[in-house]
Amino acid sequence: MTQFSGRSTRLVAVGLAVVAASAPLAAQQRARAIGLAPGVFAPGPNNAITDVAGVRVGHETVTLGDSVRTGVTAIIPHGGDLYRDRVPAALHVGNGFGKLLGVTQLRELGELETPVLLTCTLCIWQAGDALAQYMLAKPENANVRSINPVVGETNDGQLNATRARPGIAAAVNRALANADSGRVAEGSVGAGHGTVMFGWKGGIGTSSRKLPASLGGYTVGVIVQGNYGGVLQMAGVPVGQLLGRYAFQRDVERAAGTPPGAGGFGDAGAEQGDGSCMIVIATDAPVLSRNLERMGARAVMGLARTGSSASNGSGDYVIAFSTSPRVRRSPDATLSTNDELGNEAMSALFQAVTEATEEALYDALLMATPVSTRAGRVNPLPRDSVRVLLQARGIRAPR
């Protein structure tokens, strides 16, 4: 198996950077199409969070003029009355540099009573108000006097005029109306329209895992909004270093006395790996908030496998929920009786979360398309170069 080190690493990186700069962009491909299939468990039929029965996802991409590049992504846990048939939920914070609406009640009660929205940093309050209006407008909620919308965000300000915030309420309503099961659009769509990962275009990614019947047969699905940095690695291959674009690059090269690379970042925050990642987990396993929070912690392990170290300026949040009818909750219940999995049954779910998160993040990168604004243009990861690097390590597309 080919190894890269020292001067050969530098030559490979320079050569691939030249190829990437001169060649047309390869077509979008999901991770599995180039041999990236993390872990041991098989994906569901769509390899998406929607493989968890009842879960729907909707996007609305907002493009206005030469400066607004943002959007909304909606995750709906089930098709029933979300306010009265609540799903248990939990939050895990990898690094808390961010703004997550509705978090205190989610943690206090361990449940969701609305869909989950993802959007841009300064859009969360408008998105939250629109989600509250959406829920309160339902006839069955005519007497509801309080609602707790949950909205996550990442800062897409490198490409998006994030202070403008036009049309967000309308985008929320369209994303909710568009939500569907089945295949999920990925890349530069919805809340991933203006995001950046490792200096390349980021976006939305999703993946799932189906446990064998002997382990319960449960499904775990993950969707991510990738907008973070670090030192990109894919299946252990140091892709970011080999392509000459990684966090702390200027300082590392200066210390080594080597000429500066061509793949640097545009600002000090990006140079240090700053950015954020929202991760949403769904499962049909009967799991309550305590063990859902433990599942959320394992998603951060999948995030780390891609090369993130959760920098100071990175907001890394995980929301996990269970759709199982065996653990649903009514707001009027005075006695809760649940048939939940025990701790000893959780390990396979932890493994599934870690695998699906890693793959979803690869998909966010590989499915992204170029986005341009008056602030500049961010191109996707050069897929052909990545394919060459993976093949050199024996990682190939399935025949």
Side-chain angles (χ1 to χ4, degrees):
M1 187 174 292
T2 303
Q3 300 292 323
F4 296 107
S5 61
R7 185 169 180 270
S8 63
T9 299
R10 182 72 178 172
L11 291 174
V12 169
V14 171
L16 288 175
V18 171
V19 170
S22 60
L25 289 170
Q28 296 165 276
Q29 286 185 302
R30 299 191 79 188
R32 286 180 178 256
I34 62 172
L36 289 168
V40 296
F41 293 136
N46 297 299
N47 196 10
I49 193 171
T50 50
D51 288 327
V52 179
V55 175
R56 292 175 289 150
V57 173
H59 301 297
E60 182 64 20
T61 303
V62 179
T63 302
L64 293 172
D66 64 356
S67 59
V68 175
R69 304 290 185 270
T70 191
V72 174
T73 294
I75 302 101
I76 303 179
H78 63 76
D81 183 345
L82 289 172
Y83 184 79
R84 288 171 180 78
D85 198 13
R86 300 178 182 183
V87 295
L91 170 71
H92 179 79
V93 180
N95 192 64
F97 195 102
K99 302 146 195 70
L100 182 58
L101 196 64
V103 60
T104 55
Q105 182 171 312
L106 186 156
R107 276 189 152 169
E108 185 71 17
L109 302 184
E111 61 193 25
L112 282 172
E113 60 188 44
T114 73
V116 176
L117 298 183
L118 305 177
T119 189
C120 79
T121 291
L122 293 183
C123 299
I124 64 164
W125 300 282
Q126 291 180 336
D129 183 65
L131 180 54
Q133 293 296 331
Y134 166 84
M135 292 295 295
L136 294 172
K138 293 178 176 293
E140 63 269 26
N141 292 336
N143 295 320
V144 172
R145 299 177 62 184
S146 175
I147 199 79
N148 188 54
V150 174
V151 186
E153 54 79 26
T154 69
N155 191 332
D156 55 14
Q158 181 174 337
L159 282 168
N160 177 45
T162 188
R163 290 169 62 125
R165 302 181 291 172
I168 295 303
V172 168
N173 290 324
R174 286 192 290 267
L176 291 164
N178 294 337
D180 203 357
S181 56
R183 296 185 64 183
V184 175
E186 297 174 287
S188 308
V189 297
H193 187 32
T195 62
V196 179
M197 295 172 67
F198 300 101
W200 290 284
K201 186 66 191 70
I204 297 293
T206 189
S207 184
S208 70
R209 292 296 184 272
K210 175 77 171 177
L211 298 186
S214 58
L215 294 173
Y218 302 114
T219 299
V220 172
V222 172
I223 191 167
V224 300
Q225 178 192 20
N227 188 53
Y228 64 98
V231 183
L232 175 62
Q233 60 181 16
M234 305 178 93
V237 179
V239 171
Q241 291 169 272
L242 293 173
L243 293 180
R245 184 174 296 184
Y246 54 93
F248 309 107
Q249 181 176 349
R250 288 194 294 259
D251 295 285
V252 168
E253 291 177 342
R254 187 182 298 116
T258 57
F265 298 98
D267 59 70
E271 168 66 21
Q272 295 179 17
D274 286 351
S276 297
C277 187
M278 282 297 311
I279 302 170
V280 179
I281 302 167
T283 184
D284 58 6
V287 184
L288 292 177
S289 57
R290 180 179 59 83
N291 271 327
L292 285 167
E293 197 278 335
R294 297 177 74 205
M295 290 176 68
R298 274 61 181 187
V300 175
M301 295 182 179
L303 176 66
R305 288 182 179 183
T306 69
S308 168
S309 57
S311 73
N312 175 70
S314 186
D316 304 309
Y317 297 93
V318 189
I319 296 170
F321 63 85
S322 169
T323 65
S324 172
R326 293 158 59 183
V327 290
R328 300 245 185 111
R329 299 172 173 179
S330 165
D332 303 320
T334 57
L335 180 64
S336 177
T337 57
N338 294 289
D339 184 17
E340 65 169 316
L341 290 183
N343 294 335
E344 292 299 322
M346 293 303 300
S347 292
L349 293 171
F350 295 162
Q351 179 71 26
V353 166
T354 305
E355 294 179 9
T357 302
E358 181 182 3
E359 185 168 349
L361 291 164
Y362 294 153
D363 281 342
L365 273 166
L366 293 167
M367 293 296 287
T369 51
V371 172
S372 299
T373 70
R374 66 183 180 188
R377 174 185 173 96
V378 178
N379 285 318
L381 187 68
R383 301 177 187 95
D384 287 337
S385 298
V386 170
R387 193 178 295 108
V388 170
L389 293 174
L390 295 177
Q391 288 175 352
R393 295 291 183 95
I395 302 168
R396 291 179 170 81
R399 295 180 180 272

